[in-house]
Amino acid sequence: GRVFTTVTAAAGVAVVSYASTAAGFIFYNPSSSGKNAHLLKAKIGYVSGTQTPGFFCYSVSSVGQAVPTGTACLTQSGLLGGSAPSCTPLYTATVAVMTFYEVFGVSVNALTASAIVTPWGAVDDIDGRIVLPPGTWLNVAGSVAGFGTYAISMSWIELPTTA
């Protein structure tokens, strides 16, 4: 009951630059959660649009930045029928400016929707190497603006901050 998965709308979200105050997908750990979020896996699925040359990446907030706002993602417990998570993943969010964290490991080139080779998807096995303490968030972003439309999912485990 400590592992959760979240996903944006199947129609996808616009992935924009990590330096933007608009974000397609934000993984937010509220300051009141009492939990550290150990990220396990991120997935990206192409939906539509023209890709801009660049790469997918993560950007992060600092502790104490303004709370992000947006639409809550569909989130489910890995334990079917389990409790709700402490974290609040959002899509089409408004955020404070974030800091570039690391490359996701997927680069794209300038292709129109008709030129995309299907199936197109990407997986990052984070395996707990990124831990978000309460009051922080992570953005799945692009290195440049206007990156296209993608469905994004994230899996994580919530553990007490004292663990």
Side-chain angles (χ1 to χ4, degrees):
R2 294 182 182 183
V3 175
F4 302 91
T5 296
T6 193
V7 65
T8 62
V13 296
V15 173
V16 299
S17 167
Y18 68 88
S20 177
T21 57
F25 175 83
I26 288 290
F27 185 90
Y28 173 53
N29 186 358
S31 56
S32 61
S33 73
K35 308 278 175 58
N36 284 330
H38 299 254
L39 304 183
L40 301 174
K41 186 174 293 213
K43 297 179 185 177
I44 298 172
Y46 172 78
V47 175
S48 65
T50 299
Q51 296 181 146
T52 303
F55 55 86
F56 285 93
C57 62
Y58 300 116
S59 58
V60 294
S61 71
S62 301
V63 174
Q65 282 186 300
V67 173
T69 59
T71 303
C73 293
L74 172 64
T75 303
Q76 300 181 61
S77 173
L79 176 63
L80 298 181
S83 62
S86 297
C87 294
T88 308
L90 304 167
Y91 66 93
T92 314
T94 301
V95 297
V97 173
M98 293 168 285
T99 303
F100 178 79
Y101 184 74
E102 75 172 6
V103 175
F104 187 99
V106 176
S107 294
V108 297
N109 55 8
L111 295 175
T112 62
S114 62
I116 301 294
V117 177
T118 54
W120 190 100
V123 176
D124 184 9
D125 288 318
I126 303 168
D127 293 331
R129 77 174 184 274
I130 301 173
V131 179
L132 296 177
T136 61
W137 60 87
L138 174 131
N139 177 21
V140 176
S143 61
V144 295
F147 220 57
T149 302
Y150 303 85
I152 300 170
S153 70
M154 179 82 64
S155 296
W156 74 98
I157 186 168
E158 294 181 355
L159 298 173
T161 56
T162 56

